[in-house]
Amino acid sequence: MGGLLSEKFLDTNLSIPFAGPSLNTPSLQKYKRMVDAWGGWSQFQVLLQTLKKVASKHGVSIPTVAVKYILDQPAVAGSMIGVRLGLSDHIQESNAVFSLVLDNDDVNSIQEISKKGKDLLRVIGDCGDEYRR
């Protein structure tokens, strides 16, 4: 999600100018619109807090938990982890995905908040549709 699913955006209030990290890339702006369509920034903060709780329990980061949760879904065969050449890479963090095991409590807590959001497939369509128009 362009970096939104990370500690950097945890406990931030984007409605206050300059109070949090800026949405300074097209990717961040795109995914912020998806967050708004899903349930809004406040609900997204609850998701980040939930992911942080699970991450802290396992000694990993929010993105690691998010990627593992998605990879564990039956219809998912892979996940794309973004990098910005020369600015960020996530090699060690990404490798942690393969040893992380989410237990039933972890999965249930993530599902509980996820269900409170809107179905983005119905709201905005298939991811990438904006590129096929």
Side-chain angles (χ1 to χ4, degrees), residues 1 4 9 12-15 31-48 113 116-118 120 123:
M1 286 193 50
L4 288 180
F9 288 93
T12 60
N13 184 348
L14 295 183
S15 66
Y31 289 116
K32 170 61 168 67
R33 288 189 298 273
M34 288 184 184
V35 166
D36 292 342
W38 173 71
W41 195 253
S42 294
Q43 181 136 334
F44 185 66
Q45 287 300 309
V46 176
L47 175 62
L48 287 178
I113 183 60
K116 292 180 180 179
K118 295 177 184 155
L120 287 179
V123 174

Side-chain angles (χ1 to χ4, degrees), residues 1 3 8 20 22 26 34-35 45-47 49 60 66-67 70 74 82 92 98 108 114 117 120-121 123:
M1 286 193 50
K8 179 177 180 178
S22 64
M34 288 184 184
V35 166
Q45 287 300 309
V46 176
L47 175 62
Q49 291 161 0
V60 297
V67 170
I70 293 301
Q92 289 181 327
F98 301 109
N108 290 338
S114 297
L120 287 179
L121 188 59
V123 174

Side-chain angles (χ1 to χ4, degrees), residues 5-73:
L5 276 172
S6 68
E7 283 79 2
K8 179 177 180 178
F9 288 93
L10 177 64
D11 297 327
T12 60
N13 184 348
L14 295 183
S15 66
I16 301 172
F18 309 108
S22 64
L23 301 175
N24 59 355
T25 67
S27 182
L28 284 171
Q29 294 164 13
K30 169 188 170 180
Y31 289 116
K32 170 61 168 67
R33 288 189 298 273
M34 288 184 184
V35 166
D36 292 342
W38 173 71
W41 195 253
S42 294
Q43 181 136 334
F44 185 66
Q45 287 300 309
V46 176
L47 175 62
L48 287 178
Q49 291 161 0
T50 301
L51 293 172
K52 180 61 178 176
K53 183 178 176 185
V54 173
S56 296
K57 173 180 162 182
H58 294 283
V60 297
S61 67
I62 288 174
T64 300
V65 172
V67 170
K68 179 61 175 176
Y69 176 77
I70 293 301
L71 286 175
D72 284 350
Q73 302 309 301

